[in-house]
Amino acid sequence: MAQPLEIRPIGHVVGGRTEPTDDHWGGAAVIRLNSDFPAEVVQGLEEFSHLIVVWHFDKASPDDVALHARSPRNDPKWPPSGTFVHRNHRRPNQLAQSFPRLLKVDGLDLHVADLDAIDGTPIYDLAPYFAEMGPRGEVREPSWPGEMLAQYWQDEA
């Protein structure tokens, strides 16, 4: 069996939302990479429009992990589904992925929009989004994610 993986944050979120909520995400924030990294770690990143960001639900408690089927957002209008069907903090490692737009690279500060993590959130990894490595074939899903997430992103002014 594999040994547990020990990783350390490569940076953290600065600005943006200060409290987690279910909906109306959007707006700008900064991913501030650790100051001990050389500037070259982001060389060429500004040529990409989007990032893949791995972050930790650091405000959640390990007691929040739910290893059972439940209705999304505890709403009985949606069918119960298992832990690995949900994209929230109730997962065993409490890790998340986001795909924010990269607005600007300023030294080790990555200015982004549409990052659904809050101010202070530890960032564990990031990479540019390559369309060629995105999903292949038809993407399918049940109707409930679209219904549940209809208000997830805020409208841009």
Side-chain angles (χ1 to χ4, degrees):
M1 182 170 202
Q3 295 296 314
L5 174 65
E6 292 187 34
I7 59 175
R8 68 178 186 95
I10 62 167
H12 62 280
V13 177
V14 176
R17 189 178 279 192
T18 59
E19 294 294 325
T21 60
D22 285 339
D23 292 315
H24 307 291
W25 288 92
V30 173
I31 297 172
R32 179 158 294 149
L33 299 177
N34 294 347
S35 62
D36 59 341
F37 290 153
E40 290 82 7
V41 298
V42 295
Q43 183 175 331
L45 195 60
E46 71 281 351
E47 295 184 45
F48 292 87
S49 65
H50 289 78
L51 302 174
I52 302 170
V53 178
V54 178
W55 52 275
H56 181 235
F57 287 105
D58 67 311
K59 302 291 186 225
S61 166
D63 294 336
D64 291 341
V65 173
L67 299 177
H68 56 79
R70 62 181 183 78
S71 294
R73 294 190 180 174
N74 296 316
D75 190 327
K77 73 180 171 188
W78 296 312
S81 50
T83 300
F84 294 114
V85 177
H86 298 258
R87 295 182 53 115
N88 59 34
H89 67 282
R90 293 182 174 90
R91 308 167 64 72
N93 289 317
Q94 297 182 312
L95 294 175
Q97 287 185 340
S98 295
F99 304 89
R101 291 179 287 146
L102 178 61
L103 304 175
K104 177 173 79 168
V105 176
D106 181 17
L108 294 175
D109 283 354
L110 309 179
H111 295 256
V112 297
D114 302 333
L115 176 65
D116 49 351
I118 63 172
D119 183 50
T121 297
I123 303 297
Y124 282 91
D125 201 10
L126 63 84
Y129 180 82
F130 293 175
E132 293 76 13
M133 294 181 82
R136 293 183 63 195
E138 180 184 350
V139 174
R140 63 181 169 79
E141 63 182 41
S143 61
W144 66 261
E147 295 167 9
M148 178 181 72
L149 299 172
Q151 300 298 314
Y152 192 75
W153 299 109
Q154 70 181 3
D155 292 332
E156 294 194 33

